[in-house]
Amino acid sequence: MTSSRNHQEAHGIGQIEEQLKQQADAAKAIQGENESDREIAEILRRDTQSSLDEIIDK
């Protein structure tokens, strides 16, 4: 059952990440993007990938 729960959690996290990405894309389309935005996006992308790797490894 733990495997199923982990799968559900990973799926939920994926949905949240997709929603946040859509919101960020919409904000970028409305407001434009600057260097700080790009740097933050890169940091978040790296952090997200390492977080997903941790979930997958469990």
Side-chain angles (χ1 to χ4, degrees):
M1 184 143 45
T2 302
S3 178
S4 177
R5 187 172 131 216
N6 287 343
H7 178 76
Q8 288 174 347
E9 289 174 0
H11 181 70
I13 290 169
Q15 288 178 327
I16 292 167
E17 289 172 343
E18 180 59 29
Q19 183 179 13
L20 291 173
K21 181 183 178 314
Q22 289 173 355
Q23 290 174 353
D25 289 346
K28 184 171 41 173
I30 293 168
Q31 300 172 349
E33 183 178 39
N34 62 35
E35 184 62 29
S36 295
D37 292 336
R38 286 186 288 277
E39 290 173 1
I40 291 168
E42 176 60 24
I43 291 167
L44 290 174
R45 187 191 63 73
R46 286 191 305 239
D47 287 349
T48 299
Q49 185 59 47
S50 64
S51 295
L52 289 174
D53 289 342
E54 289 175 22
I55 292 169
I56 292 168
D57 289 340
K58 289 181 181 181

